[in-house]
Amino acid sequence: ILMFILFPLLSNQQYSYAEPIGGDFKICGDDCMLVKPPLEHPQLKDIFFENEAYSLNDANRKSLKKMAEVLKNNPSWVIEIQGHADVLGKDSLYAIALGERRAQSTKMYLVSQGISAKRIHTIAYGKERPFCFNSKEECWFKNRRAHFRVVR
């Protein structure tokens, strides 16, 4: 499965297989290259939003201040902020726009805490990648999130 995830991330070259080597993957075709998969870091915890909202609350700001310190202590890291929405929104385009606003407001706060904007990439998934699937408020709340990954 990971092979199918990694292949679209690579260049135009065709690669025939992925072989795990430690925590990395050796991707081979005519030539081979070593690829580091994105890192889910335990100190980069999701932050959650109220329905239809993208503004940061006090709990979000507190969590992001801690995250900024982690990023300052790891200056080589580049992160991706993924903006997500629940299924309650109007339509998919609206949910993607809301996810983008969530990712951007999160990025801007980290920048205000001294993290270079060049180290932060954003992407919006809207309701396309839910954390959970049931139809309860607790699940919907978990889907209204900004998720973080170390990409380099």
Side-chain angles (χ1 to χ4, degrees), residues 45-88:
K45 297 181 181 181
D46 290 358
I47 60 170
F48 301 94
F49 297 85
E50 294 301 320
N51 190 33
E52 305 285 327
Y54 60 92
S55 59
L56 301 172
N57 60 32
D58 290 340
N60 291 344
R61 285 188 287 278
K62 183 177 179 181
S63 178
L64 290 172
K65 280 184 184 182
K66 291 178 184 175
M67 193 178 302
E69 291 305 313
V70 171
L71 292 170
K72 287 175 186 175
N73 291 330
N74 296 279
S76 65
W77 286 5
V78 174
I79 65 166
E80 175 183 87
I81 303 173
Q82 301 173 353
H84 297 271
D86 61 26
V87 297
L88 299 177

Side-chain angles (χ1 to χ4, degrees), residues 54 81 83-84 94-106 122-126:
Y54 60 92
I81 303 173
H84 297 271
Y94 176 81
I96 288 173
L98 181 58
E100 180 62 26
R101 288 191 297 273
R102 288 174 174 163
Q104 285 296 325
S105 67
T106 303
T122 61
I123 188 165
Y125 289 112

